[in-house]
Amino acid sequence: MTRIIEIPQSFDDRTFDQFAGMFGDWPPQERLLFDARGAQWASPYGLIAMLTAAQALSEAGAERPLFTAPLNDEVKRYWARTGFFRHAADFFEIHGRIPKAAEGPSDTLLDVTPIRAMDDVHKVVGDVPERAAKILQDQLNIRASETMRFSMALSEACQNIVEHSGTGGWVAVQAYTWRRRLGKRVVVIAVSDGGIGFRRSLEPAHAKRYGERWGDGAALEAGLIQNVSRFRDPGRGQGIASIKRSVDHWNGKISIRSGTARLAIVPPWDDDAPLAEHLPFFPGAQVQITIPAKDAPA
Amino acid sequence: MIETFRLHQLLRETVSAPYRCLVTRPTGAAIRSRIEEALADSACITALLDFAEVEVIDFSCADEVIAKLVLAQHTSSGPYVVLQGLTEPQLEAVEHVLNHRRLAVAALREQPARPALLGCADDDTRQAFTTLCEDGATDPDSLASRIGWSRERAAAALEMLTSLRLARFLDGTVRPVPVP
């Protein structure tokens, strides 16, 4: 028997719970078919969510899932250009014609990239600055000198995968326009893994303090708000703190989903709930950092 | 005597890829370990960490390289750590990790030419540091008369400078750490 995982028509952080809800108990016992035929668009968060799920299934020993590609040629070309299909081929049995990845300029700041070891973090951070400086300056009115802040946030977000997830993960960064939500250009950094998640990572050192409140939501609060780490070294936990400071500096947003909860630091321009609990389970942790364009100087 | 460590070069020797970004804890720990090995065989008074040509330094790496090196030299009474060649955004990251661990360090900047105090120090300690860098060796009486403080206040500030290892006590006076 096959379980259908219907990819949302517009797949981003807002439709992620719909996607996560289709898996049922984790790991699902049936073979899965990821049906993306009706997909019209996917954010970096959506693209790496599919890869995270497939990787987690593979690590759980599940049968290789099937994947039906979007019918829309433009969507397919775009997904190919981000590198999605190149990695998807390692985890899915893909059905449908896949275009070759097109070369040339795009608004992809960083293609879909696996993060498996610290060397991958070096490569990601080392490759990004020049392109990031141009996009931040030209599209977001953020000074080129802010590129280091951006690189630091990217570095810390990716390192968390290697240090805490117990497995590998994915990162993608892209600039695009949020017409309905903000009416501006944004850069979105999406980082995801299908590993142990915040609760299991922090449980040995911090669960006792929370007593019965301990769960995915409390673990996210400990990690994101209180900057605690599973390590006893007092210098730890500063990675997320530094990301938060940069996000605040940019009037941006950070949202982390782990297990059955999602916690966000919500800027005035967004109407997301700061904490959502009892969501459909999804393994690991999914981080989205959103940096909106600054208003151009008059 | 000053021993200079070029972080860009150490990075190239530590990470195989040709990047100029000091990122990740393992990279920071590996670089610190190389510096500590070199310092173990050195009679230098100042370990000068030169960040020229380093593009990015993240918090995790700054914590491993700088904060832990400063901590280790505090514990072992090893050489004084001084930084140079940091850009403004890098200074911000370094200052953050030092503040978090309640540490301080001297940093050489192009403008102004004198060392700056980075990290966790109160106003008196900062003023005493600035005066010491401008005037050279001092003692509580001289500092008190120079700034118009009481002797006790000047003595407390100088004691804080030496305990933070931003200055050294030698032959009855407090002296600036040797820098180029």
Side-chain angles (χ1 to χ4, degrees):
Chain A
M1 199 170 139
T2 302
R3 178 187 283 263
I4 310 289
I5 307 294
E6 194 178 335
I7 303 305
Q9 199 176 33
S10 176
F11 190 13
D12 61 7
D13 55 315
R14 293 209 167 187
T15 48
F16 181 89
D17 295 332
Q18 182 188 328
F19 169 71
M22 283 184 261
F23 288 89
D25 290 338
W26 189 273
Q29 297 307 306
E30 317 92 317
R31 190 176 198 193
L32 301 185
L33 164 62
F34 287 61
D35 183 0
R37 286 175 299 172
Q40 294 294 319
W41 183 78
S43 74
Y45 192 87
L47 291 172
I48 65 175
M50 290 185 273
L51 293 171
T52 301
Q55 183 181 341
L57 288 167
S58 164
E59 287 169 2
E63 194 175 355
R64 192 181 180 86
L66 304 158
F67 185 95
T68 51
L71 294 174
N72 184 311
D73 286 339
E74 203 178 316
V75 175
K76 263 196 297 207
R77 273 198 299 273
Y78 173 70
W79 289 18
R81 212 164 54 220
T82 66
F84 170 78
F85 288 120
R86 194 168 64 244
H87 299 294
D90 293 336
F91 295 101
F92 291 104
E93 184 182 309
I94 298 179
H95 293 259
R97 288 188 62 178
I98 304 301
K100 283 186 181 166
E103 298 291 331
S106 77
D107 286 339
T108 302
L109 219 152
L110 178 69
D111 283 349
V112 170
T113 304
I115 300 290
R116 298 188 178 114
M118 287 299 184
D119 280 354
D120 297 324
V121 182
H122 274 275
K123 181 160 170 44
V124 161
V125 178
D127 284 346
V128 145
E130 204 175 313
R131 195 159 173 70
K134 186 164 169 44
I135 288 181
L136 291 177
Q137 191 164 341
D138 294 354
Q139 300 188 22
L140 268 62
N141 303 316
I142 290 176
R143 285 175 301 160
S145 59
E146 297 271 327
T147 308
M148 185 179 129
R149 195 186 282 277
F150 175 85
S151 298
M152 282 162 54
L154 183 60
S155 169
E156 298 290 356
C158 292
Q159 276 178 71
N160 279 341
I161 295 177
V162 185
E163 291 238 59
H164 303 293
S165 74
T167 181
W170 303 90
V171 59
V173 186
Q174 201 173 355
Y176 54 95
T177 303
W178 273 11
R179 280 198 184 80
R180 274 184 300 175
R181 283 168 80 170
L182 189 61
K184 278 184 181 179
R185 292 293 282 176
V186 293
V187 163
V188 169
I189 301 174
V191 178
S192 174
D193 68 76
I196 62 173
F198 272 60
R199 185 175 56 75
R200 278 182 59 199
S201 172
L202 297 176
E203 202 156 69
H206 301 285
K208 216 174 194 177
R209 200 154 47 88
Y210 284 81
E212 286 184 2
R213 264 198 69 216
W214 184 250
D216 290 321
L220 282 172
E221 187 188 310
L224 181 60
I225 309 295
Q226 293 166 19
N227 307 323
V228 305
S229 163
R230 69 191 170 99
F231 297 104
R232 290 193 186 281
D233 180 347
R236 294 292 188 136
Q238 292 311 295
I240 286 186
S242 74
I243 295 173
K244 276 193 304 186
R245 268 216 316 284
S246 293
V247 166
D248 183 53
H249 175 82
W250 291 315
N251 191 28
K253 176 182 174 184
I254 177 168
S255 159
I256 307 182
R257 191 192 198 283
S258 184
T260 58
R262 184 180 62 247
L263 185 63
I265 296 179
V266 185
W269 50 259
D270 197 64
D271 59 0
D272 198 1
L275 175 65
E277 292 185 280
H278 312 296
L279 302 172
F281 175 82
F282 194 79
Q286 292 73 47
V287 179
Q288 179 162 294
I289 299 165
T290 310
I291 308 166
K294 277 187 176 174
D295 292 327
Chain B
M1 184 189 161
I2 298 165
E3 182 147 358
T4 302
F5 296 91
R6 300 190 196 291
L7 275 293
H8 175 233
Q9 197 176 321
L10 285 173
L11 176 67
R12 284 178 61 179
E13 290 164 10
T14 307
V15 182
S16 49
Y19 296 115
R20 295 192 295 173
C21 302
L22 275 175
V23 293
T24 80
R25 278 193 183 272
T27 302
I31 288 174
R32 172 169 44 84
S33 162
R34 295 185 69 136
I35 296 171
E36 285 173 339
E37 277 170 27
L39 290 178
D41 296 330
S42 169
C44 70
I45 297 169
T46 301
L48 183 67
L49 309 191
D50 183 355
F51 290 83
E53 295 185 59
V54 170
E55 215 164 68
V56 173
I57 178 163
D58 72 11
F59 285 74
S60 300
C61 200
D63 187 58
E64 287 292 335
V65 177
I66 301 167
K68 288 189 177 175
L69 185 66
V70 171
L71 263 177
Q73 300 315 309
H74 271 235
T75 311
S76 65
S77 299
Y80 296 86
V81 177
V82 175
L83 315 179
Q84 96 173 357
L86 288 163
T87 63
E88 281 300 323
Q90 291 168 348
L91 281 168
E92 191 186 315
V94 171
E95 182 119 52
H96 174 83
V97 298
L98 292 169
N99 279 331
H100 185 71
R101 289 191 183 262
R102 307 194 66 76
L103 297 169
V105 73
L108 304 180
R109 304 167 74 174
E110 282 181 23
Q111 291 296 334
R114 285 187 298 276
L117 192 163
L118 281 188
C120 191
D122 60 22
D123 290 346
D124 279 8
T125 309
R126 287 179 186 278
Q127 193 170 349
F129 178 82
T130 304
T131 307
L132 183 74
C133 293
E134 282 170 0
D135 299 355
T138 189
D139 58 29
D141 290 322
S142 308
L143 182 68
S145 121
R146 165 81 161 80
I147 313 186
W149 285 351
S150 68
R151 188 187 183 283
E152 291 70 29
R153 187 176 173 186
L158 290 176
E159 195 181 325
M160 184 56 79
L161 276 184
T162 52
S163 74
L164 285 169
R165 293 177 61 77
L166 294 162
R168 57 191 188 127
F169 188 75
L170 191 69
D171 300 332
T173 58
V174 176
R175 299 173 182 219
V177 171
V179 293

